[in-house]
Protein backbone atom coordinates (compact mmCIF):
# COMPACT_ATOMS: atom_id res chain seq x y z
CA UNK A 1 0.00 0.00 0.00
CA UNK A 2 1.22 3.50 -0.78
CA UNK A 3 1.80 5.69 2.26
CA UNK A 4 0.64 9.31 2.34
CA UNK A 5 1.31 11.78 5.14
CA UNK A 6 -0.82 14.75 6.10
CA UNK A 7 0.72 17.58 8.12
CA UNK A 8 -2.26 19.66 9.28
CA UNK A 9 -4.58 20.76 12.06
CA UNK A 10 -7.28 18.73 13.78
CA UNK A 11 -10.92 19.72 13.17
CA UNK A 12 -13.14 18.53 16.04
CA UNK A 13 -16.12 18.37 13.67
CA UNK A 14 -14.03 16.15 11.35
CA UNK A 15 -15.11 17.83 8.12
CA UNK A 16 -11.77 19.50 7.41
CA UNK A 17 -8.16 19.18 8.55
CA UNK A 18 -6.49 15.93 9.58
CA UNK A 19 -9.79 14.08 9.78
CA UNK A 20 -10.83 14.98 6.22
CA UNK A 21 -7.35 14.09 4.99
CA UNK A 22 -7.33 10.63 6.59
CA UNK A 23 -10.83 9.88 5.27
CA UNK A 24 -9.70 10.94 1.80
CA UNK A 25 -6.63 8.70 1.98
CA UNK A 26 -8.76 5.75 3.15
CA UNK A 27 -11.19 6.34 0.29
CA UNK A 28 -8.26 6.22 -2.16
CA UNK A 29 -6.84 2.95 -0.85
CA UNK A 30 -3.63 4.52 0.45
CA UNK A 31 -2.31 4.28 4.02
CA UNK A 32 -2.70 7.61 5.81
CA UNK A 33 -0.20 8.98 8.32
CA UNK A 34 -0.63 12.23 10.26
CA UNK A 35 1.47 14.93 11.88
CA UNK A 36 -0.81 17.24 13.87
CA UNK A 37 0.22 20.92 13.95
CA UNK A 38 -2.71 22.35 15.91
CA UNK A 39 -5.96 21.43 17.58
CA UNK A 40 -8.98 23.50 16.57
CA UNK A 41 -12.25 23.61 18.45
CA UNK A 42 -14.91 23.94 15.80
CA UNK A 43 -18.21 22.71 14.48
CA UNK A 44 -20.20 23.24 11.30
CA UNK A 45 -20.85 26.86 12.35
CA UNK A 46 -17.29 28.02 12.93
CA UNK A 47 -13.97 27.85 14.75
CA UNK A 48 -14.04 28.89 18.43
CA UNK A 49 -10.40 28.26 19.43
CA UNK A 50 -7.05 27.15 18.07
CA UNK A 51 -4.17 25.73 20.07
CA UNK A 52 -0.92 25.29 18.16
CA UNK A 53 1.29 22.37 19.14
CA UNK A 54 4.95 23.08 19.97
CA UNK A 55 7.62 22.97 17.29
CA UNK A 56 9.33 20.23 19.29
CA UNK A 57 6.38 17.83 19.08
CA UNK A 58 5.82 18.62 15.40
CA UNK A 59 9.50 17.81 14.74
CA UNK A 60 9.26 14.62 16.82
CA UNK A 61 6.20 13.41 14.90
CA UNK A 62 8.02 13.99 11.60
CA UNK A 63 11.15 12.20 12.83
CA UNK A 64 9.10 9.26 14.11
CA UNK A 65 7.46 8.79 10.73
CA UNK A 66 10.37 9.42 8.38
CA UNK A 67 12.90 7.41 10.40
CA UNK A 68 10.71 4.33 9.96
CA UNK A 69 8.35 4.59 7.00
CA UNK A 70 8.99 5.28 3.30
CA UNK A 71 6.40 7.96 2.61
CA UNK A 72 5.17 8.19 -1.01
CA UNK A 73 3.54 11.63 -0.85
CA UNK A 74 2.89 14.44 1.62
CA UNK A 75 0.05 16.94 1.95
CA UNK A 76 0.57 20.07 4.04
CA UNK A 77 -2.49 21.92 5.31
CA UNK A 78 -2.92 24.31 8.24
CA UNK A 79 0.36 25.42 9.80
CA UNK A 80 -0.23 28.74 11.58
CA UNK A 81 3.16 29.75 12.85
CA UNK A 82 6.31 30.85 11.01
CA UNK A 83 8.71 28.76 13.11
CA UNK A 84 6.62 25.60 12.67
CA UNK A 85 6.64 26.07 8.90
CA UNK A 86 10.45 26.33 9.03
CA UNK A 87 10.74 23.16 11.11
CA UNK A 88 8.53 21.29 8.62
CA UNK A 89 10.47 22.58 5.60
CA UNK A 90 13.75 21.59 7.26
CA UNK A 91 12.59 18.06 8.09
CA UNK A 92 11.00 17.43 4.68
CA UNK A 93 14.26 18.52 3.04
CA UNK A 94 16.38 16.41 5.41
CA UNK A 95 14.31 13.28 4.69
CA UNK A 96 13.95 14.09 0.97
CA UNK A 97 10.16 13.76 1.15
CA UNK A 98 8.69 13.18 -2.34
CA UNK A 99 5.49 14.53 -3.98
CA UNK A 100 4.63 17.39 -1.64
CA UNK A 101 1.23 19.05 -2.05
CA UNK A 102 0.88 22.41 -0.29
CA UNK A 103 -2.62 23.66 0.49
CA UNK A 104 -2.09 27.33 1.30
CA UNK A 105 -4.59 27.47 4.17
CA UNK A 106 -5.02 31.07 5.37
CA UNK A 107 -8.52 31.43 6.87
CA UNK A 108 -11.29 28.93 7.66
CA UNK A 109 -14.36 29.10 5.45
CA UNK A 110 -16.13 30.67 8.43
CA UNK A 111 -13.53 33.47 8.50
CA UNK A 112 -11.25 32.43 11.38
CA UNK A 113 -7.55 33.19 10.70
CA UNK A 114 -5.46 30.00 10.44
CA UNK A 115 -2.14 31.54 9.29
CA UNK A 116 -0.33 34.20 11.31
CA UNK A 117 0.39 37.25 9.12
CA UNK A 118 4.18 36.98 9.47
CA UNK A 119 4.09 33.26 8.65
CA UNK A 120 2.92 33.97 5.12
CA UNK A 121 6.38 35.03 3.91
CA UNK A 122 7.91 31.91 5.43
CA UNK A 123 5.35 29.72 3.68
CA UNK A 124 6.26 31.35 0.36
CA UNK A 125 10.01 31.27 0.94
CA UNK A 126 10.43 27.83 2.52
CA UNK A 127 7.44 25.65 1.60
CA UNK A 128 6.44 26.63 -1.93
CA UNK A 129 9.84 25.70 -3.45
CA UNK A 130 9.35 22.15 -2.10
CA UNK A 131 5.90 21.72 -3.63
CA UNK A 132 5.00 19.45 -6.55
CA UNK A 133 1.54 21.04 -6.47
CA UNK A 134 0.24 24.10 -4.62
CA UNK A 135 -3.54 24.63 -4.38
CA UNK A 136 -4.58 28.23 -3.56
CA UNK A 137 -8.20 29.30 -3.86
CA UNK A 138 -8.93 32.74 -5.35
CA UNK A 139 -8.52 34.78 -2.12
CA UNK A 140 -5.27 32.94 -1.33
CA UNK A 141 -3.99 33.36 -4.90
CA UNK A 142 -4.72 37.10 -4.60
CA UNK A 143 -2.72 37.34 -1.37
CA UNK A 144 0.19 35.30 -2.76
CA UNK A 145 0.37 37.08 -6.14
CA UNK A 146 -0.74 40.55 -5.06
CA UNK A 147 -3.12 40.54 -8.06
CA UNK A 148 -6.87 41.12 -8.06
CA UNK A 149 -8.61 38.12 -9.66
CA UNK A 150 -11.82 38.83 -11.58
CA UNK A 151 -11.54 36.53 -14.62
CA UNK A 152 -10.02 33.31 -15.89
CA UNK A 153 -7.17 35.34 -17.44
CA UNK A 154 -6.48 36.86 -14.01
CA UNK A 155 -6.36 33.32 -12.55
CA UNK A 156 -3.78 32.37 -15.22
CA UNK A 157 -1.69 35.44 -14.44
CA UNK A 158 -1.78 34.66 -10.71
CA UNK A 159 -0.82 31.03 -11.42
CA UNK A 160 2.23 32.23 -13.41
CA UNK A 161 3.23 34.59 -10.64
CA UNK A 162 2.89 31.90 -7.93
CA UNK A 163 4.84 29.39 -10.02
CA UNK A 164 7.78 31.82 -9.96
CA UNK A 165 7.87 31.16 -6.20
CA UNK A 166 9.10 27.61 -6.84
CA UNK A 167 6.32 25.01 -6.99
CA UNK A 168 6.22 22.71 -10.02
CA UNK A 169 2.46 23.02 -10.54
CA UNK A 170 -0.01 25.67 -9.44
CA UNK A 171 -3.73 24.92 -9.20
CA UNK A 172 -5.78 28.09 -8.72
CA UNK A 173 -9.24 26.97 -7.58
CA UNK A 174 -12.16 29.03 -8.85
CA UNK A 175 -14.87 27.95 -6.41
CA UNK A 176 -15.01 31.41 -4.76
CA UNK A 177 -16.01 33.10 -8.04
CA UNK A 178 -19.68 33.28 -9.02
CA UNK A 179 -21.23 30.86 -11.50
CA UNK A 180 -19.87 27.52 -12.62
CA UNK A 181 -16.42 27.04 -11.11
CA UNK A 182 -13.31 26.96 -13.29
CA UNK A 183 -9.93 25.85 -11.93
CA UNK A 184 -6.64 26.67 -13.63
CA UNK A 185 -3.63 24.34 -13.51
CA UNK A 186 -0.24 25.66 -14.67
CA UNK A 187 2.92 23.57 -15.07
CA UNK A 188 5.22 26.34 -16.25
CA UNK A 189 4.46 25.74 -19.93
CA UNK A 190 0.78 24.90 -20.35
CA UNK A 191 -2.49 25.84 -18.72
CA UNK A 192 -5.13 23.19 -18.14
CA UNK A 193 -8.62 24.52 -17.55
CA UNK A 194 -10.82 22.31 -15.40
CA UNK A 195 -14.43 23.34 -15.56
CA UNK A 196 -17.21 22.01 -13.38
CA UNK A 197 -20.87 22.59 -12.58
CA UNK A 198 -21.73 24.49 -9.42
CA UNK A 199 -23.44 22.20 -6.93
CA UNK A 200 -26.17 23.93 -4.99
CA UNK A 201 -25.32 23.09 -1.37
CA UNK A 202 -24.04 24.89 1.73
CA UNK A 203 -22.32 21.70 2.92
CA UNK A 204 -18.83 22.37 1.63
CA UNK A 205 -16.81 22.27 4.86
CA UNK A 206 -13.36 20.81 4.22
CA UNK A 207 -13.44 20.84 0.43
CA UNK A 208 -9.95 22.36 0.12
CA UNK A 209 -8.47 19.84 2.54
CA UNK A 210 -10.16 16.95 0.74
CA UNK A 211 -9.06 18.05 -2.73
CA UNK A 212 -5.39 18.52 -1.77
CA UNK A 213 -5.34 15.15 0.01
CA UNK A 214 -6.87 13.44 -3.02
CA UNK A 215 -4.15 15.00 -5.20
CA UNK A 216 -1.45 13.68 -2.82
CA UNK A 217 -3.01 10.19 -2.81
CA UNK A 218 -3.11 10.16 -6.62
CA UNK A 219 0.52 11.32 -6.88
CA UNK A 220 1.52 8.54 -4.45
CA UNK A 221 -0.17 6.06 -6.79
CA UNK A 222 2.06 7.25 -9.62
CA UNK A 223 -0.30 9.49 -11.58
CA UNK A 224 1.08 12.59 -13.32
CA UNK A 225 0.26 15.89 -11.64
CA UNK A 226 -2.32 16.77 -14.31
CA UNK A 227 -4.04 13.38 -13.99
CA UNK A 228 -3.82 13.52 -10.16
CA UNK A 229 -5.56 16.90 -10.16
CA UNK A 230 -8.29 15.83 -12.66
CA UNK A 231 -9.16 12.70 -10.70
CA UNK A 232 -9.06 14.61 -7.41
CA UNK A 233 -11.55 17.08 -8.85
CA UNK A 234 -13.86 14.20 -9.79
CA UNK A 235 -13.52 12.88 -6.25
CA UNK A 236 -14.35 16.20 -4.55
CA UNK A 237 -17.25 16.75 -6.95
CA UNK A 238 -18.73 13.38 -5.93
CA UNK A 239 -18.11 14.17 -2.24
CA UNK A 240 -19.83 17.58 -2.51
CA UNK A 241 -22.75 16.17 -4.52
CA UNK A 242 -23.47 13.81 -1.62
CA UNK A 243 -22.38 16.12 1.23
CA UNK A 244 -23.86 15.56 4.66
CA UNK A 245 -26.43 17.65 6.53
CA UNK A 246 -24.73 17.32 9.91
CA UNK A 247 -25.03 20.15 12.43
CA UNK A 248 -26.64 23.55 11.91
CA UNK A 249 -24.04 25.12 9.62
CA UNK A 250 -21.87 24.01 6.71
CA UNK A 251 -21.73 20.22 6.88
CA UNK A 252 -18.90 17.98 5.66
CA UNK A 253 -18.54 16.31 2.28
CA UNK A 254 -19.12 12.56 1.87
CA UNK A 255 -15.70 11.00 1.35
CA UNK A 256 -17.05 7.47 1.09
CA UNK A 257 -20.15 7.90 -1.06
CA UNK A 258 -18.58 6.19 -4.08
CA UNK A 259 -17.37 3.22 -2.04
CA UNK A 260 -20.61 2.87 -0.08
CA UNK A 261 -22.62 2.96 -3.27
CA UNK A 262 -20.51 0.26 -4.91
CA UNK A 263 -20.67 -1.99 -1.86
CA UNK A 264 -24.46 -1.69 -1.59
CA UNK A 265 -24.19 -0.02 1.84
CA UNK A 266 -26.48 2.87 0.89
O1 LIG B 1 -10.27 24.53 5.26
C1 LIG B 1 -9.19 24.99 5.92
C2 LIG B 1 -8.92 24.30 7.20
C3 LIG B 1 -7.78 23.56 7.33
N1 LIG B 1 -7.44 22.93 8.46
C4 LIG B 1 -8.23 22.97 9.53
C5 LIG B 1 -9.40 23.68 9.48
C6 LIG B 1 -9.77 24.35 8.30
C7 LIG B 1 -11.03 25.08 8.22
O2 LIG B 1 -11.81 25.15 9.10
O3 LIG B 1 -10.16 23.70 10.56
C8 LIG B 1 -7.84 22.25 10.78
Amino acid sequence: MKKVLTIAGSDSSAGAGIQADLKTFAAHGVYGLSVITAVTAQNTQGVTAVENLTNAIVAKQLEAIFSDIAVDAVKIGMVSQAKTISVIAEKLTEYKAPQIVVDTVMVSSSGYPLLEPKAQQVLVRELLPLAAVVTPNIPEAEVLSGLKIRSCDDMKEAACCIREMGPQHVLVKGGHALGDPVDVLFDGAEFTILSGKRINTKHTHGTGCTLSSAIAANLAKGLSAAEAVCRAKEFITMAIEHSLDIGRGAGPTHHFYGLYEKSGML
Side-chain angles (χ1 to χ4, degrees), residues 185-232:
L185 177 67
F186 183 55
D187 64 4
E190 272 179 54
F191 293 101
T192 307
I193 307 294
L194 300 115
S195 23
K197 276 255 160 278
R198 182 159 300 270
I199 302 160
N200 184 21
T201 177
K202 65 172 180 172
H203 304 306
T204 55
H205 183 63
T207 45
C209 304
T210 299
L211 179 79
S212 54
S213 292
I215 296 170
N218 288 336
L219 290 174
K221 292 201 228 176
L223 299 187
S224 69
E227 193 60 24
V229 167
C230 283
R231 299 245 194 119

Side-chain angles (χ1 to χ4, degrees), residues 7-13 15-19 21 37-43 46-47 49-50 75 77-79 103-112 114 137 140 173 204-210:
I7 304 172
S10 163
D11 166 7
S12 49
S13 68
I18 288 279
Q19 290 83 355
D21 300 342
T37 57
V39 175
T40 73
Q42 66 176 298
N43 55 29
V47 178
V50 173
K75 169 254 163 86
M78 172 193 171
V79 190
D103 185 14
T104 46
V105 175
M106 292 183 185
V107 289
S108 76
S109 35
S110 55
Y112 198 98
L114 299 176
N137 58 29
E140 291 159 0
K173 302 174 293 186
T204 55
H205 183 63
T207 45
C209 304
T210 299

